[in-house]
Amino acid sequence: MKKLSEILEKKLLPMANKFSKQRHLKAISNSFLSIVPFLTIGSLALVLISPPVDYTTLEPGFMYSFFQAWTIFAEQIATPIGSIYTICMEFMSIFVAAAIGYFLAQEYKMKGFLPPVLSTVAFLILAGLGADGSKTFDYFGGTGLFTAIIGSIIAIEILHFLFKRKVGYISLEGQGVPEALTQAFALLIPTAITLIGIGLLHWGIVSLTGDTLPALMTVLLSPVLSATDSLPGVFLLAFLVMTFWWFGIHDSCITGPMTAFWTIALTANIAAFNNGAATTAVPYIVTDPYWFMFLMIGGSGATFGLCIVLLTCKSKQLKTVGKLGIVPAFFNINEPVIFGVPLMLNPMMYIPFVGAVLVNCVISYSAMYFGLVGRTIAQPGWNMFCPIGALLSTLDIKAMLLIVGLIVLDALIYFPFIKVYDKQKYEEEMASVK
Amino acid sequence: MKILLMCYGGLSTGLMKVRLEEEAKKYGVEDIEVVATALAEAENDFGDYDVYLLGPQVRYAYDDIKAKLADRLVLTISASDFGLMRADNVWQEIVKGLDRT
C-alpha cells in the first residue's frame, strides 16, 4: 500500500498536474464552465415554454388543470422566453469562441479585449459563411462547437506566435500617444496576419473538400460522438474517471474536456425536442446532465447513498464524515467523504466506489435506451440536487423515481463494505481509548 | 491574517473556510480573512496572503506554487484533516509553520 502511494506521488500526480495544466485543455474546460449559466437558462427557457404533456389527452382533474394552465402560460410567454432559448442555445458557439479566446490569451499573458474578439471573428469566418460565400447561421449552435474550439485556438496561437516575436509590432511608446492607442497599433499587423491565415484556411478547406470546416467537422466527429454515446464508451469513461479519483486525481481533469462532446450531444437533443420530438426519442443518451445527475448522484462515486449508510455507523470517524457529508451531497459536493472515509486509496472501498457508478451507468443507460425514461434535454447545472435535476433535464417524473431508486441501490452496494470497515474502525477507536 | 484556500473548484474548501475562521477566533485572532478559491483562478493572480493552503485534491500543485511563492507559507491540508474538516489540526499546522518562518 505504501509503495503504491509512493508510485502515485512520484509518477501519477505529476502527470495529472501536467494534464490539468495543458493550456488548450484548460482553456476549453474554463470556457465551458463559464458559459454553463447560459446553457442552463437557455435550455430551461425551452422547458418552460414546452409543457411535456398535451392536457387535452388527460382526464379532468388536477393534472388536467395544471397542464392546461402551463400550456396557456407557455403560449403567452413564448415570444420573449423563446428568444432566450434561441439565442443562448442556437448561437452558443459564438460565445464559446469568445471564451476560448479569452482564456487561452490569459494563459499566454496577453491582456486586453482584442484576443476574444479576434477568436470570435475567426470563428465567424470559418462558420458564418457557406461554401458558396453566402452568410449562414447553421453552425452557430452545438454543431459549430468544435469549429469554435479549433478556430479560436488557431487564431490565438498565430497571434501569440507573432506577438512573442514582435512580428509587425508597431511601437508608438514614448511619443505621447495614449496607451490604449499604443496597444491597438501594436497588434494591428499581427491581427491582420492572423485573419488572413484564418481566411486562407477557410478558402483552402472549401477548395479542397467543397464544404466548410464545421460541415467537415460534423462528418469527422460523428464516429467519435457515436463512441462517446455508446454504452461501452461511457462505461469505460466512468471506469477511468472513478479509478483516477480513487488515486486522488480530480474528475475534472477528464470530464472538463469531455464537456465539449457532451454539449454537442445535449444541444442536438434540445434542437430535436424543440422540433417536436419526445424526450424518449431525442438522439443522444450521454450528455453532461446524464453524467452528473444519473451517474454521480451526490458527487463522483455516487456517494449520496454512501452518506446515508455512514450515518448508521458505530465508528465515530465514519459517523462524523456522514454528518459532514450529507448536506454538501445534496449539491453533489463530496470531497469531505472522499477524503474523510477515506475512499481515496482505500483498498476496501475501491469496488463500491467504482462499482456504484458503473451500476448507475448501466441501469440509466438501459432505461433511456429502451425508452423507459426520457433522455436529457436541459442543463440543470451539476450542483442541482439529483432527483430534481433529473426531472428538470428530462421532464419525466420516472427519471426522478429512477434516481431515488439508484440512491437506495448505491447505499446497498456500499453497505457490506462499510459494515466491515466500520467494525474495523470502531475496534481501532475503542483500542485507542483504552 | 489572510489565508488563501485553494481546491479544484473553490466549493469544497468553502466548507473548510468557515471552520478555519471560527478556529482562529477561538485563539483570539480576530483579524482573520480566509478566501476559498479554485486553483486555476488563483494561478492567474496569487495575490497577497500570509498563508496559502492547498486542498488534498490539488496537492500536486504544491511544488509549482512553492517555487512561485518562496517567501510565503504554503501548506497542503492532509486528506484526513480535510475529510473530517479538522480545522483545529489545520490551524495548528499554520501556527507551527508561521513559527518556523
Side-chain angles (χ1 to χ4, degrees):
Chain A
M1 199 58 225
K2 212 171 167 193
K3 214 170 169 195
L4 185 65
S5 42
E6 264 170 32
I7 295 174
L8 164 82
E9 297 291 336
K10 289 216 179 79
K11 295 262 160 69
L12 216 52
L13 277 181
M15 234 169 69
N17 190 14
K18 252 191 203 152
F19 192 70
S20 69
K21 290 188 83 162
Q22 205 287 330
R23 283 195 183 97
H24 306 106
L25 292 177
K26 200 171 148 191
I28 294 169
S29 296
N30 285 339
S31 300
F32 278 99
L33 208 60
S34 67
I35 63 153
V36 161
F38 295 96
L39 300 190
T40 304
I41 295 165
S43 58
L44 291 182
L46 178 62
V47 166
L48 197 62
I49 57 169
S50 314
V53 177
D54 177 6
Y55 71 92
T56 54
T57 62
L58 297 172
E59 297 286 315
F62 171 73
M63 293 308 266
Y64 181 92
S65 314
F66 176 76
F67 283 109
Q68 185 185 30
W70 186 348
T71 306
I72 294 166
F73 176 67
E75 280 163 9
Q76 296 299 320
I77 59 164
T79 309
I81 302 294
S83 66
I84 299 175
Y85 155 74
T86 308
I87 301 303
C88 285
M89 301 306 300
E90 292 180 1
F91 288 71
M92 167 175 64
S93 290
I94 297 176
F95 40 89
V96 169
I100 291 180
Y102 174 78
F103 286 109
L104 189 57
Q106 259 196 346
E107 291 292 313
Y108 287 129
K109 310 271 174 236
M110 291 191 293
K111 299 216 168 74
F113 189 56
L114 192 134
V117 177
L118 177 66
S119 64
T120 310
V121 173
F123 166 71
L124 292 175
I125 291 175
L126 293 168
L129 299 171
D132 57 358
S134 60
K135 280 176 254 169
T136 170
F137 290 172
D138 291 355
Y139 293 108
F140 287 176
T143 45
L145 271 181
F146 263 85
T147 303
I149 294 171
I150 294 171
S152 299
I153 289 176
I154 295 174
I156 300 299
E157 285 297 329
I158 300 176
L159 183 71
H160 175 240
F161 180 87
L162 301 171
F163 179 72
K164 208 171 58 185
R165 287 166 185 73
K166 298 215 168 211
V167 177
Y169 185 85
I170 303 173
S171 175
L172 293 175
E173 277 165 63
Q175 293 172 29
V177 183
E179 202 195 328
L181 195 64
T182 315
Q183 278 180 3
F185 265 104
L187 288 174
L188 188 63
I189 293 179
T191 302
I193 298 175
T194 306
L195 290 180
I196 292 168
I198 296 288
L200 285 173
L201 178 69
H202 174 67
W203 172 78
I205 291 168
V206 172
S207 327
L208 283 175
T209 68
D211 218 330
T212 59
L213 181 62
L216 193 65
M217 290 309 297
T218 307
V219 177
L220 288 176
L221 279 175
S222 101
V224 183
L225 271 171
S226 320
T228 58
D229 197 59
S230 70
L231 182 58
V234 69
F235 189 88
L236 184 68
L237 187 71
F239 174 77
L240 285 177
V241 166
M242 290 318 301
T243 302
F244 276 25
W245 233 139
W246 188 78
F247 280 110
I249 294 167
H250 201 276
D251 62 313
S252 307
C253 284
I254 305 171
T255 55
M258 277 309 293
T259 313
F261 295 99
W262 292 341
T263 307
I264 295 179
L266 182 64
T267 48
N269 282 359
I270 295 171
F273 177 72
N274 191 34
N275 287 332
T279 58
T280 45
V282 296
Y284 293 103
I285 293 174
V286 181
T287 63
D288 204 75
Y290 165 78
W291 182 270
F292 289 106
M293 295 296 121
F294 290 81
L295 266 56
M296 306 301 181
I297 307 165
S300 300
T303 52
F304 199 92
L306 169 65
C307 284
I308 298 169
V309 179
L310 286 174
L311 290 172
T312 70
C313 280
K314 277 196 290 185
S315 147
K316 202 170 156 240
Q317 180 190 334
L318 296 182
K319 203 167 179 156
T320 310
V321 174
K323 280 185 200 157
L324 282 171
I326 190 79
V327 176
F330 279 89
F331 308 101
N332 305 319
I333 295 170
N334 69 343
E335 275 87 350
V337 184
I338 290 183
F339 298 116
V341 172
L343 298 169
M344 184 184 97
L345 290 174
N346 185 341
M348 280 176 82
M349 290 296 139
Y350 177 76
I351 293 174
F353 187 53
V354 180
V357 171
L358 295 180
V359 167
N360 291 353
C361 168
V362 173
I363 292 178
S364 325
Y365 193 99
S366 311
M368 290 181 184
Y369 185 83
F370 292 111
L372 301 175
V373 303
R375 300 176 183 184
T376 50
I377 49 101
Q379 166 65 284
W382 68 266
N383 279 126
M384 185 64 80
F385 178 45
C386 287
I388 307 289
L391 175 65
L392 281 177
S393 64
T394 60
L395 292 181
D396 186 348
I397 196 95
K398 292 194 295 300
M400 187 160 96
L401 300 176
L402 174 66
I403 301 292
V404 175
L406 289 177
I407 289 174
V408 175
L409 190 59
D410 296 337
L412 289 174
I413 292 170
Y414 274 106
F415 186 78
F417 295 92
I418 286 292
K419 275 301 130 185
V420 178
Y421 186 57
D422 181 37
K423 191 160 170 276
Q424 192 185 324
K425 277 274 159 195
Y426 182 68
E427 280 164 8
E428 273 173 30
E429 282 170 17
M430 286 297 116
S432 67
V433 169
K434 273 175 203 161
Chain B
M1 188 191 300
K2 284 175 77 184
I3 299 174
L4 187 67
L5 249 175
M6 290 165 273
C7 70
Y8 221 99
L11 286 168
S12 58
T13 40
L15 300 165
M16 179 59 95
K17 166 194 149 78
V18 180
R19 282 161 195 270
L20 207 54
E21 282 173 344
E22 283 169 5
E23 194 64 28
K25 282 176 187 155
K26 259 191 223 163
Y27 288 91
V29 183
E30 287 294 330
D31 178 29
I32 177 118
E33 190 192 341
V34 183
V35 177
T37 185
L39 177 66
E41 196 94 358
E43 278 175 332
N44 290 324
D45 180 13
F46 281 109
D48 185 24
Y49 292 86
D50 302 299
V51 182
Y52 293 84
L53 287 177
L54 287 165
Q57 61 272 53
V58 292
R59 64 194 182 288
Y60 58 77
Y62 177 83
D63 288 342
D64 280 5
I65 293 180
K66 187 67 205 164
K68 278 179 201 151
L69 301 164
D71 58 331
R72 297 297 163 91
L73 181 62
V74 184
L75 293 171
T76 307
I77 303 174
S78 76
S80 64
D81 284 346
F82 193 80
L84 293 166
M85 289 289 150
R86 292 293 299 266
D88 49 342
N89 287 350
V90 177
W91 180 250
Q92 292 308 324
E93 290 287 320
I94 293 172
V95 172
K96 261 191 257 168
L98 287 174
D99 279 348
R100 273 200 305 272
T101 50

